[in-house]
Amino acid sequence: MNKINIKKDDLVVVLSGKDKGKQGKVLSVMPKDRKVIVEGVNIATRHVKPRKQGEEGGIVKKEAPLYACKVQRVCPKCNKPTRIGHKIEGDKKVRICKKCGAEI
Ligand SMILES: [Zn+2]
């Protein structure tokens, strides 16, 4: 299996589903489930019941995890969805945009 090459704070675009085309920042990555949570994407609405008397119930909107294969990294330099390449620079490995070659 491929490793998820998406990291927290990456900008991604959704490739399929009801949020197709939406862009957002990755809030968290769950490598075990191969899922990511993206800001403003895949919002799930939950009705919350009041737990105590006098407490108000309500609707909570929260991002639900989605499969990492459904999102693609967006290059902050050329602003296009791109695949990530790797380049060795000195003794560190850097991630580069396969479209414009910028380090991202
Ligand atoms: Zn680029």
Side-chain angles (χ1 to χ4, degrees):
M1 275 214 277
N2 292 325
K3 240 176 76 185
I4 298 177
N5 60 8
I6 290 168
K7 287 180 182 170
K8 191 172 178 280
D9 293 332
D10 277 355
L11 185 66
V12 295
V13 62
V14 182
L15 300 174
S16 64
K18 66 178 164 92
D19 290 319
K20 189 177 173 181
K22 264 195 196 172
Q23 287 189 9
K25 201 176 79 172
V26 175
L27 297 177
S28 69
V29 180
M30 289 167 278
K32 265 190 188 166
D33 299 327
R34 307 181 60 72
K35 284 180 174 177
V36 292
I37 293 176
V38 184
E39 193 173 38
V41 170
N42 204 24
I43 300 288
T45 311
R46 266 204 343 218
H47 296 264
V48 180
K49 279 183 193 165
R51 281 186 211 151
K52 286 180 230 153
Q53 217 176 2
E55 205 179 62
E56 264 182 73
I59 295 167
V60 174
K61 288 189 176 182
K62 203 176 187 313
E63 287 93 349
L66 69 161
Y67 282 103
C69 60
K70 285 195 173 179
V71 301
Q72 188 170 29
R73 186 72 212 274
V74 174
C75 171
K77 293 270 162 55
C78 63
N79 216 18
K80 286 178 191 152
T82 184
R83 285 162 61 93
I84 307 294
H86 289 99
K87 192 170 75 169
I88 307 291
E89 224 167 55
D91 54 3
K92 74 176 181 134
K93 200 162 133 188
V94 294
R95 303 193 303 169
I96 56 161
C97 166
K98 282 203 172 174
K99 289 247 166 75
C100 70
E103 197 178 307
I104 51 177

